[in-house]
Amino acid sequence: MCLLLGATGVGKTLLVKRLQNILPHYVGTNLTDIVAHRKITIRELGGCMSPIWASYYGNCHSLLFMMDASNPTQLSASCMQLLGLLSAEELSKASVLILFNKMYGSRG
C-alpha cells in the first residue's frame, strides 16, 4: 500500500483524481504500476486524520507526503509531521516521495 499524507488543503484529493484521469481503466484508488504490472493501493489520509496515521504504517511500502509551498505556516507544521513520519520504525523500509504543491510568491 502507498500512503498519501499531508495537511488539510494541500491537494491530495486532486492528485488522486489526476492519477485516475491518467489511468482511466483503473478507477478508484487501485492503480497499476505499468512497468511492474503490480496493483498499488493509494490510501489518502488528510491532515485532520494525522492522529491515526500510525495505524496504517504496517502495510505501507511507499509514502507520498504532500506539502503546500504557498503557505509558510502550514509548511513548517508539515515539516514537523514529516520528521515524525521519517522516525517511525514501521516506515524505515518504505520509499518516500515528498511533493511540494502550489507556488510560493510570484514570478516577475
Side-chain angles (χ1 to χ4, degrees):
M1 173 175 56
C2 175
L3 286 178
L4 174 56
L5 304 176
T8 303
V10 296
K12 297 177 303 296
T13 302
L14 181 61
L15 175 63
V16 170
K17 287 181 180 182
R18 298 286 178 175
L19 289 172
Q20 289 171 345
N21 287 335
I22 292 170
L23 300 171
H25 302 291
Y26 305 100
V27 178
T29 56
N30 291 323
L31 303 174
T32 299
D33 181 346
I34 295 171
V35 176
H37 300 289
R38 296 179 300 169
K39 291 215 176 196
I40 299 172
T41 300
I42 297 179
R43 173 87 53 198
E44 175 191 355
L45 297 173
C48 62
M49 299 176 70
S50 61
I52 65 164
W53 286 356
S55 62
Y56 289 90
Y57 294 169
N59 296 326
C60 179
H61 299 292
S62 57
L63 172 68
L64 301 173
F65 190 80
M66 208 165 194
M67 295 185 190
D68 179 353
S70 68
N71 186 339
T73 304
Q74 191 181 67
L75 188 61
S76 61
S78 292
C79 287
M80 296 304 295
Q81 286 180 326
L82 180 60
L83 286 173
L85 288 170
L86 296 176
S87 65
E89 181 68 31
E90 300 91 346
L91 297 175
S92 64
K93 294 185 180 181
S95 301
V96 178
L97 175 65
I98 302 170
L99 300 167
F100 289 93
N101 195 22
K102 305 180 185 179
M103 291 175 52
Y104 180 73
S106 62
R107 296 181 187 195

